[in-house]
Amino acid sequence: IFMGSSNIADGAGRQLWDFKDGTLRGDRPAALKLYGYYQLNWNASVGAFFIVQSGQPWEAWSYEPYIALTTSTSDTNRYAEEAGSRRTPTHNQLDLNYTQDFRFAQRYNFQIALDLFNVFDTQTGYNYQPSVHTATFNTPRSYFDPRRLQLAARLQF
């Protein structure tokens, strides 16, 4: 909840008792992570990483419940409902890896690694806009990264 020295207890709606008791932003009641790899016969390996996790808690912000106590029209950190009353959608993602080793001169290894992140391109939104008095209220401000391919080369000695 703490966002800076001039925010907490800085006027109506910003007190610690103003709907601040609830589910915190980092809460993930369910998260499942699975990892596995298989060593292939030709000095290579394949791997997979899968994650599914609960969405991020958030709440609406509005100055309206505090109109009788202030003339400010700023929604910032003025919770209009209990902290964490809402939750973003569940996110899942699958990442794959292929690594090939080329051994030479008995002590050197040249390695190529190919990583495919977010195979199904699940760009779940999070970090929702909490301010009721904005055109983008209840829409995500951030998304999980889109599908991405990464190639790496390593010389090991």
Side-chain angles (χ1 to χ4, degrees):
I1 297 296
F2 186 74
M3 299 179 94
S5 60
S6 66
N7 199 321
I8 295 277
D10 192 19
R14 294 189 175 133
Q15 304 299 326
L16 292 174
W17 51 83
D18 292 326
F19 295 117
K20 303 292 194 280
D21 187 22
T23 307
L24 297 177
R25 196 170 167 86
D27 178 67
R28 297 289 188 280
L32 173 68
K33 297 177 183 181
L34 300 172
Y35 171 75
Y37 76 96
Y38 184 76
Q39 196 69 37
L40 302 168
N41 292 334
W42 54 89
N43 290 329
S45 66
V46 291
F49 177 76
F50 177 75
I51 183 170
V52 60
Q53 68 182 15
S54 302
Q56 179 185 55
W58 69 284
E59 62 288 319
W61 295 0
S62 175
Y63 64 84
E64 291 180 25
Y66 312 100
I67 284 179
L69 305 170
T70 184
T71 57
S72 172
T73 57
S74 169
D75 286 343
T76 303
N77 203 34
R78 288 194 164 106
Y79 290 20
E81 58 194 7
E82 184 177 297
S85 297
R86 303 166 188 239
R87 193 173 285 275
T88 63
T90 298
H91 175 70
N92 62 71
Q93 182 171 323
L94 175 66
D95 301 333
L96 300 176
N97 168 272
Y98 178 84
T99 304
Q100 179 69 56
D101 290 321
F102 300 96
R103 292 187 175 90
F104 61 96
Q106 291 189 341
R107 75 172 266 198
Y108 298 104
N109 185 44
F110 179 69
Q111 189 177 74
I112 293 178
L114 186 65
D115 293 298
L116 181 58
F117 299 103
N118 199 355
V119 172
F120 301 114
D121 203 21
T122 1
Q123 296 178 49
T124 310
Y126 65 97
N127 191 21
Y128 274 51
Q129 172 58 266
S131 269
V132 171
H133 297 99
T134 61
T136 57
F137 172 68
N138 195 26
T139 58
R141 296 181 287 184
S142 305
Y143 292 87
F144 283 91
D145 290 335
R147 182 182 306 123
R148 180 170 61 101
L149 184 64
Q150 175 179 288
L151 177 66
R154 299 177 188 98
L155 180 59
Q156 299 170 325
F157 53 94

